[in-house]
Amino acid sequence: MSVQRFQRGSPAQSAMKAQGRWTLSVLGFLFLHVDTSWAERFQVSGASDLITAFVDDDVILPALLSPLTNATAFEIRWLKDDFTSPVLLYQNYKLRHVNQMEGFKERSQLFLEELNKGNVSLKLQRVRVSDEGLYKCFVDSGSWFEEAHITLTVQVLGIQPSISVSSTQDHQTLLECNSEKWNPQPEVVWRDKNGRDVTSLSKMHTERDSEGLLRVSSIIPVEQEVSVFSCMMRSSAPKPAWPSELSIYNMNQQYDCINQLLHVWLLHKQLDVTRRVTNSEWRRIISSAADVILDPDTAHPYLCLSEDGKEVRNVGKLQTVPDKPRRYMDFHSVQAREAYTSGRHYWEVEVREKIEWTVGIALEMEGKGEFCSEPYRRVRLRNEKEYSAVSEKVTSLLVRRKPDRIRVFLDYDEGQLSFYNAESREHLHTFTETFSGKLYPYLSPCYSLRGKNIAPLVIHPVKAIA
């Protein structure tokens, strides 16, 4: 083995040292460059499924850096249509509003305090139908960038459908199921009196209104002398369904249903899911807050009212009360002092710890404990878990979550009386009809059952909002 020797300070040794320093420098540069590059590489993880929001609610479009990377110094750009017109832009450690997409400035935000944890999610407030679509999240560290795509769909549950009847020139009877204010287009299901799906016989028409929401009409011919049809409109996503039922009795065995229609009613049931009320609906309801005070002159002798007229309980025995012509004698009930003959009115009743109760409206009395010929409308609980809506008939209700408070909303002019679970925003039932005369808020704490059901019904104070 030969060993090559260099004299210290020789040209060859100097060249070798220079070459060695160059090699180390290059290796060091490459090492540092590769190390920095890999350290800054990341992925942006978004939602694997569609993000669904109700109109006027808030929604989060999730986006996280993986592995966890501090994004405080990065550029974060959320886009919907145009790269130069972002939904939101974070740059140079702050939000920038230059060329921001119309309508998002006051409604879009990042979780700035969580950027150091790699959370680059976008929060949209007061969601609009126009917000629906594909969103892109671009994250740029300066030496590396990634993006994620997230699709937002905005759900608007239309108004309760109604069924109308018409007849063609050749006396063919048609049923038309109508509703509006939907997004996206709902599924419409028709069933006959035997529960069979007859949707294939129907035709559907849709059109968009000025808000971009859908008006939906489904028409089906009536081929039988006596038919009971139900029309159900259901969101294309697993959301609430609105059913409407129509009974037709053909007394003369003819097909001109206009002359043979004897009874039509609308029925809103809770089916597989429960309708949740949006923020805009709540604001519309609460803006009609009413100051309901119970009338002691109408209270059954078993009932005791608080001094402010906001609570009523059943004390389980007759009390000495003045003889008043409007006092309930057959029902353990009470009604409010003020009656409504027009407009919108909202009140809230606490039913917590009650195993039986009734809440609704009553018509003006004629004599002791007697009502006008038209019955009142109410929702009630019996046997701790049996909920029903009561008018001329009793309709069982499927209530997913036991309410602690019931919200009652009367729209006199539109002919609607609606009941809601105040905490969960579940819609329980709506009566639809043409109101006339005076309507009074009505309560019944029901009987004291072997020491149970002694809690009072309490009218909660509500504050109107603009």
Side-chain angles (χ1 to χ4, degrees), residues 382-395:
R382 295 293 183 267
N383 300 320
E384 200 165 358
K385 58 183 178 181
E386 298 172 7
Y387 295 89
S388 55
V390 184
S391 56
E392 296 92 344
K393 57 189 179 73
V394 178
T395 301

Side-chain angles (χ1 to χ4, degrees), residues 36-45 64-71 73-76 118 120 137-148:
T36 302
S37 176
W38 279 107
E40 289 188 357
R41 289 191 179 186
F42 53 83
Q43 291 182 329
V44 184
S45 303
L64 300 172
L65 302 188
S66 177
L68 189 153
T69 305
N70 187 341
F74 294 177
E75 177 180 307
I76 303 164
V120 293
C137 176
F138 284 87
V139 181
D140 187 350
S141 68
S143 60
W144 186 259
F145 72 90
E146 281 285 354
E147 66 179 271

Side-chain angles (χ1 to χ4, degrees), residues 361 377 410-413 415-417 431 433-437 439:
I361 58 172
R377 306 288 183 251
L410 170 65
D411 192 331
Y412 193 105
D413 301 325
Q416 290 188 340
L417 175 68
F431 293 100
E433 60 188 271
T434 301
F435 295 124
S436 61
L439 300 181

Side-chain angles (χ1 to χ4, degrees), residues 85-128:
S85 181
V87 170
L88 179 143
L89 175 60
Y90 174 87
Q91 194 177 55
N92 297 328
Y93 298 93
K94 63 181 180 180
L95 294 173
R96 302 177 65 88
H97 301 294
V98 178
N99 297 324
Q100 189 169 10
M101 190 173 179
E102 185 73 22
F104 284 99
K105 181 177 180 180
E106 305 298 333
R107 299 189 302 117
S108 61
Q109 64 184 63
L110 291 177
F111 297 91
L112 297 176
E113 69 282 1
E114 296 187 17
L115 290 180
N116 61 349
K117 302 176 183 178
N119 184 359
V120 293
S121 303
L122 173 69
K123 181 177 181 180
L124 291 179
Q125 297 175 310
R126 303 182 300 280
V127 171
R128 306 170 182 174

Side-chain angles (χ1 to χ4, degrees), residues 160-163 177 230-233 240-245 265-271:
Q160 185 170 341
S162 60
I163 299 180
C177 186
S230 73
C231 166
M232 179 174 65
M233 291 194 183
W242 283 111
S244 278
E245 291 188 359
W265 71 85
L266 296 175
L267 173 63
H268 175 209
K269 294 178 181 176
Q270 302 296 326
L271 298 180

Side-chain angles (χ1 to χ4, degrees), residues 234-283:
R234 179 168 54 203
S235 173
S236 56
K239 296 294 179 183
W242 283 111
S244 278
E245 291 188 359
L246 172 66
S247 293
I248 303 173
Y249 300 87
N250 190 333
M251 303 301 293
N252 299 321
Q253 297 188 356
Q254 298 175 0
Y255 290 100
D256 187 358
C257 194
I258 299 298
N259 296 325
Q260 299 145 12
L261 180 62
L262 297 183
H263 188 70
V264 178
W265 71 85
L266 296 175
L267 173 63
H268 175 209
K269 294 178 181 176
Q270 302 296 326
L271 298 180
D272 298 330
V273 291
T274 306
R275 184 174 187 269
R276 182 177 177 271
V277 181
T278 65
N279 289 340
S280 60
E281 288 179 278
W282 276 137
R283 284 200 291 268

